Amino acid sequence: ARLLLEASALVPAHSRDEILKRAAAKCADSLGLVGVPLAATASLLGDALRAGAENLAAPLLAALVDPSAHSQLDDDGGLKRAEDSIRLYVCAVSEGYEKALAVSSTDIEALLAVADVRLDCARLMLKLPAAARAALFQSAPAPAEWITDHFYCLDFAIRNYCALGSRGVADWARAGMSARDLSDFRFNWACAHALRGQEEAARQLLEALVQEEAA
């Protein structure tokens, strides 16, 4: 499953969905064979589902950079694409990362992932026009309506990022996280603050990241 997930990054976007579905299916099969799921396998399932959500959302996000594309959401199936992406994000959390955290509540990879998913959702929702956001809220699978509330998502992500920021570098190393992973985490933490309108907190995090990269 991990090889399929890694291979998906090497193929064109239009061919990626099928590979990611196969990776997710293999993870789900493995989890179904054991009474107590392995945290690593559950997180991998979350990664495959999240990658599928990102692949669906990518062309939509690119189109929405142009304000004239907003009126084409329904005509071009953009709203359906957004709905499918949101549903995969929900599954990534409920079927993947939350199951990993049920096994190990301090798992850094899973804690980071549930925060990153919230940030991904907030970014998607903030780019959509108000009418599309309202439609997505109505269609969001219960009890996961939270995923279409960008303020909730950002506040959740920031809380998780703050908790992870208090963990020492040694904890990250023991979890198998690289220096690049740590840098990406701090950048996303800053982005969450910026999107929430907390510019000073974002600035401090980015300045600290630049200083660390230069050291």
Side-chain angles (χ1 to χ4, degrees):
R2 185 173 296 279
L3 289 176
L4 285 171
L5 182 57
E6 292 173 353
S8 69
L10 305 177
V11 301
H14 66 271
S15 303
R16 202 169 293 151
D17 281 344
E18 187 58 36
I19 296 176
L20 291 171
K21 287 177 182 176
R22 288 170 57 194
K26 284 184 175 293
C27 290
D29 289 345
S30 295
L31 290 171
L33 295 175
V34 295
V36 178
L38 296 174
T41 306
S43 284
L44 187 60
L45 173 57
D47 290 345
L49 292 168
R50 180 186 173 199
E54 291 173 341
N55 192 52
L56 281 172
L60 179 60
L61 291 172
L64 288 173
V65 171
D66 178 5
S68 66
H70 291 189
S71 62
Q72 301 174 11
L73 267 176
D74 291 329
D75 294 342
D76 294 344
L79 186 56
K80 177 64 165 60
R81 178 178 287 272
E83 288 177 348
D84 291 343
S85 178
I86 289 292
R87 290 179 188 279
L88 283 178
Y89 278 129
V90 171
C91 289
V93 172
S94 62
E95 300 300 319
Y97 304 127
E98 285 184 349
K99 288 187 176 180
L101 290 171
V103 177
S104 175
S105 62
T106 60
D107 186 286
I108 287 182
E109 184 178 1
L111 287 169
L112 179 59
V114 293
D116 286 344
V117 165
R118 262 67 170 198
L119 179 59
D120 289 343
C121 290
R123 283 171 168 156
L124 175 58
M125 297 305 294
L126 284 167
K127 286 185 178 294
L128 292 173
R133 288 201 299 270
L136 282 176
F137 180 79
Q138 294 297 323
S139 65
E145 294 91 344
W146 56 262
I147 210 157
T148 60
D149 182 342
H150 55 277
F151 288 124
Y152 175 90
C153 287
L154 290 172
D155 289 342
F156 184 103
I158 289 169
R159 286 196 302 272
N160 265 36
Y161 289 146
C162 287
L164 288 166
S166 68
R167 305 278 288 267
V169 175
D171 284 348
W172 286 76
R174 280 193 294 271
M177 309 296 278
S178 66
R180 175 61 182 273
D181 292 328
L182 189 55
S183 294
D184 288 346
F185 148 67
R186 288 172 175 156
F187 179 77
N188 284 339
W189 186 3
C191 287
H193 276 298
L195 290 173
R196 196 64 174 93
Q198 299 164 353
E199 288 86 359
E200 179 60 22
R203 184 186 64 78
Q204 291 177 4
L205 285 166
L206 289 174
E207 286 182 353
L209 179 58
V210 170
Q211 290 173 1
E212 289 176 7
E213 293 286 337

